[in-house]
Amino acid sequence: MPTSLLNELASQRNPNGLISENYNLTLAQSMQSVVAEVQKETPNFTHFVDIFYELMQAKIDPPLETIWVYVALSFRRLNFTDEDPLNQLSVVKDLFQLISACSGSCGSSESIALLAPVAFQVYKVAVELKGRDLGSKRDKKVIRELKSLIDAILGFVIVCYCKNLNGQSDVISDNDLNPIVPVKYLFSLWMDKNGNLESFLPLVNADVFREICERECDVNHLAGVVVVEVFLLKFCLNFMVGDAGKELEKELTSWVVSSITKIQNVYFFETLLKMLLEPSFRFTSILSSNDEVLLRKVLYDAVILVEYSFLNPKRAVHLPAERIKSLSLTRLIAMQEAIEFSREDGDQKRAISYASAFSSSKLPSQIIKWIASQVGMDEKASISIGSSPKALLRRLLSLENQGIRVFGGRILKSRAKLAVDNSKADYEHQSSKIEGKKANDNRLFYIDNKGEEEESEGEENKEINESMNAAFVAAAHSMKMTEDSGRKRKERGSSGKKKKIKYHKFDLSNTSDSTKERFSSVSN
């Protein structure tokens, strides 16, 4: 570090040892010096630890960079070369505790974004475990403690987001909290000299990484990416130690739905959708191909078959309009990808169920309303909704070709085109025939009304919600239609009565109930 800057910093310290009025200038200069040092062949960060500690201590709500750099440089002093997973995990726990302590006065998004290095180190321990047979007592202990750590991190995340739900969200203020230097330099503090920078976010795809590094990355976005990574780590640990089957699928789906409902964060949800747009997940080193199929089923069910109230544009007025549009279009593409994935997997019932959920959701009308307002046309006259995601995507691509800017960027447009080109069948007709069918299903299809109780407007909203819930139950029916159609026709012929379908409504405000209770709601 230049001697002149050290002298300047020394002159700015007040009698209590804290940097005084030229804080922003000092922080900017210090960050630039750290970036310059990172790029050296043999960097020396000795002088920076104390400086960033004082920068961190000088404010009640310190900037993210001060905590990030201080923790990173402090972590470099620790011995993380030990190859024993239990010892590595002990260091990761210390790192999590240090970050939690340093970010105690920060906003929720900052506190979560600062956990990116923890997710990175947890992933490295998981990779080390994947190569073992996990039969020894020591390895089993590591698995238990690693799962416990991931649960603790997720608990920390939920507490942070719940603070926003109990008061005003910090999303508005966090939108202005862009890092002083590009985040790739912050990432590099945790990497080896010749390490691939993308490996710092090892579980997200290349598009998500580029958005974080190449655009102006606000803290909310980075926080959403971190939560997705921790989610995926939890799944991978479950697959490592459990038998992938229907019971695990139901348990994980219930957990995801419950967690999304608690977190209620658009940035997290959109990142999760973008992960599903990739033909394959990136983290194959800790996920087998069979486990990936199961993971996709769980995530598709959770993001498509539930109408989450926090995605309602009326509840997201604090977010930029472009963010809401991007989220809606990403959801639409993900629905089409889910239908095609299920069809290729031979699960026609699931594909029809996804198509039915699309038709019953509020998403098509939201997209049409936005398009109509953009082109200045009447909603009914401007564009037809269609009865499948594919039909609507085709119409939107047609409008884009006519010069109407729909998708906003090259990446989203190319994703939409690929989703349409790669699909081979529509499910409009099949999904329209599911009503009146006799069916059983142990999945839960519902609309999450959490947070909207106060905003309801009497019987009209109640009737709408009831009809929408019934529509989602109809989607459930399509996934359990009996394969032996001949036998089914016989039974119908011999039976003089049609059995009525019963379904229950659940209050998602209490998400701590048994997962088995949540997924046993649809029965004959």
Side-chain angles (χ1 to χ4, degrees):
M1 185 176 189
T3 306
S4 59
L5 180 56
L6 285 174
N7 292 336
E8 183 179 351
L9 291 173
S11 66
Q12 291 174 7
R13 293 172 185 165
N14 64 23
N16 295 323
L18 298 180
I19 299 171
S20 56
E21 62 241 14
N22 295 322
Y23 184 92
N24 291 335
L25 176 61
T26 303
L27 175 58
Q29 291 176 335
S30 300
M31 286 302 305
Q32 291 168 7
S33 298
V34 167
V35 169
E37 197 68 31
V38 167
Q39 298 172 352
K40 293 181 179 179
E41 190 66 30
T42 55
N44 179 11
F45 297 104
T46 306
H47 302 293
F48 290 102
V49 177
D50 290 340
I51 291 172
F52 276 90
Y53 177 77
E54 292 194 10
L55 284 166
M56 182 178 67
Q57 292 291 317
K59 287 200 169 186
I60 296 176
D61 184 7
L64 176 142
E65 293 89 345
T66 62
I67 301 174
W68 187 290
V69 175
Y70 170 72
V71 171
L73 300 186
S74 300
F75 187 77
R76 280 175 172 264
R77 295 178 172 182
L78 302 176
N79 179 22
F80 203 71
T81 58
D82 192 332
E83 295 182 356
D84 182 76
L86 197 57
N87 294 337
Q88 290 181 353
L89 185 56
S90 177
V91 177
V92 178
K93 288 180 179 179
D94 291 341
L95 175 62
F96 175 51
Q97 291 175 357
L98 176 61
I99 292 176
S100 302
C102 291
S103 63
S105 60
C106 296
S108 61
S109 294
E110 287 180 278
S111 298
I112 295 168
L114 284 164
L115 296 179
V118 179
F120 174 51
Q121 300 298 339
V122 168
Y123 171 80
K124 288 163 65 173
V125 176
V127 170
E128 181 69 24
L129 288 173
K130 186 65 176 177
R132 297 169 177 255
D133 59 13
L134 304 180
S136 69
K137 289 184 178 180
R138 190 171 181 84
D139 285 344
K140 289 179 179 178
K141 182 179 180 181
V142 176
I143 285 287
R144 286 197 306 271
E145 294 196 10
L146 189 57
K147 290 179 70 175
S148 177
L149 175 60
I150 292 173
D151 287 339
I153 295 170
L154 287 169
F156 178 85
V157 166
I158 290 174
V159 168
C160 287
Y161 280 135
C162 283
K163 285 193 300 185
N164 290 344
L165 300 179
N166 293 331
Q168 185 176 3
S169 170
D170 72 341
V171 172
I172 298 175
S173 59
D174 274 356
N175 276 336
D176 298 325
L177 292 175
N178 297 316
I180 295 172
V181 299
V183 292
K184 63 182 181 180
Y185 293 118
L186 297 180
F187 294 169
S188 65
L189 289 172
W190 294 93
M191 305 296 299
D192 296 330
K193 180 66 179 177
N194 299 319
N196 179 8
L197 202 57
E198 284 191 27
S199 63
F200 180 73
L201 298 176
L203 292 102
V204 297
N205 56 42
D207 286 346
V208 172
F209 183 84
R210 280 194 294 270
E211 286 182 358
I212 289 289
C213 290
E214 295 178 5
R215 301 181 184 179
E216 287 190 357
C217 170
D218 68 67
V219 178
N220 298 299
H221 192 180
L222 180 56
V225 171
V226 170
V227 180
V228 168
E229 288 209 303
V230 180
F231 256 60
L232 296 175
L233 284 168
K234 179 178 176 66
F235 284 122
C236 291
L237 261 292
N238 275 279
F239 293 144
M240 277 188 196
V241 299
D243 294 327
K246 287 293 182 183
E247 286 304 312
L248 181 60
E249 181 182 342
K250 287 194 294 183
E251 178 184 340
L252 292 177
T253 306
S254 176
W255 176 80
V256 176
V257 171
S258 174
S259 298
I260 292 174
T261 305
K262 289 177 181 177
I263 290 172
Q264 298 194 45
N265 184 267
V266 168
Y267 294 88
F268 155 69
F269 193 83
E270 185 178 13
T271 303
L272 200 58
L273 290 172
K274 288 179 178 178
M275 293 293 298
L276 290 168
L277 299 187
E278 289 293 322
S280 62
F281 291 135
R282 177 182 169 192
F283 44 98
T284 53
S285 56
I286 57 174
L287 188 72
S288 70
S289 57
N290 289 335
D291 291 339
E292 178 174 345
V293 172
L294 177 57
L295 177 55
R296 282 187 179 273
K297 289 179 180 178
V298 168
L299 293 179
Y300 278 138
D301 281 0
V303 301
I304 293 175
L305 298 174
V306 182
E307 187 86 339
Y308 296 101
S309 61
F310 72 91
L311 298 178
N312 189 326
K314 292 181 179 179
R315 293 192 60 195
V317 292
H318 57 282
L319 294 171
E322 282 298 311
R323 172 66 61 182
I324 298 300
K325 183 186 80 170
S326 173
L327 172 63
S328 298
L329 293 173
T330 304
R331 287 179 67 194
L332 178 63
I333 299 169
M335 285 181 169
Q336 174 57 30
E337 293 283 8
I339 292 171
E340 187 63 18
F341 168 81
S342 299
R343 188 196 65 79
E344 291 182 355
D345 192 47
D347 195 344
Q348 305 296 340
K349 299 165 190 174
R350 205 183 215 105
I352 295 171
S353 177
Y354 290 156
S356 179
F358 162 79
S359 300
S360 303
S361 73
K362 299 176 182 177
L363 179 63
S365 59
Q366 289 172 0
I367 292 176
I368 301 309
K369 185 176 182 179
W370 176 81
I371 293 293
S373 64
Q374 185 183 37
V375 300
M377 298 175 65
D378 180 73
E379 289 182 36
K380 295 181 180 178
S382 60
I383 180 174
S384 60
I385 292 178
S387 52
S388 73
K390 181 179 178 180
L392 182 52
L393 281 171
R394 278 177 172 167
R395 191 70 182 98
L396 295 179
L397 287 168
S398 175
L399 290 174
E400 183 90 16
N401 292 334
Q402 295 173 32
I404 300 173
R405 189 174 171 82
V406 175
F407 293 96
R410 177 184 57 82
I411 294 177
L412 207 55
K413 181 181 177 181
S414 62
R415 291 288 186 189
K417 193 172 186 304
L418 280 173
V420 170
D421 292 345
N422 292 340
S423 63
K424 298 178 182 177
D426 284 333
Y427 291 87
E428 299 98 327
H429 302 298
Q430 296 96 317
S431 62
S432 66
K433 294 178 181 178
I434 63 173
E435 294 186 12
K437 298 280 188 181
K438 174 185 174 183
N440 295 308
D441 197 0
N442 57 2
R443 287 181 176 84
L444 175 62
F445 296 79
Y446 57 81
I447 299 176
D448 157 32
N449 291 317
K450 185 176 180 180
E452 291 190 343
E453 292 85 352
E454 319 82 58
E455 301 172 11
S456 67
E457 298 175 2
E459 291 300 317
E460 181 180 356
N461 276 342
K462 183 178 178 182
E463 290 174 5
I464 292 173
N465 289 337
E466 286 178 349
S467 64
M468 292 290 282
N469 272 301
F472 275 90
V473 172
H477 297 166
S478 69
M479 296 179 67
K480 280 291 184 178
M481 290 172 1
T482 308
E483 292 182 3
D484 188 350
S485 58
R487 178 183 171 188
K488 190 171 181 181
R489 283 192 297 269
K490 271 187 176 180
E491 290 175 354
R492 282 204 301 266
S494 60
S495 175
K497 295 181 180 179
K498 290 185 179 180
K499 293 184 179 179
K500 293 183 178 180
I501 303 298
K502 297 179 181 179
Y503 64 93
H504 301 283
K505 299 166 76 174
F506 283 78
D507 181 7
L508 286 181
S509 61
N510 182 7
T511 51
S512 62
D513 294 336
S514 167
T515 57
K516 292 184 179 179
E517 292 178 357
R518 295 178 179 281
F519 278 77
S520 60
S521 62
V522 181
S523 60
N524 278 347

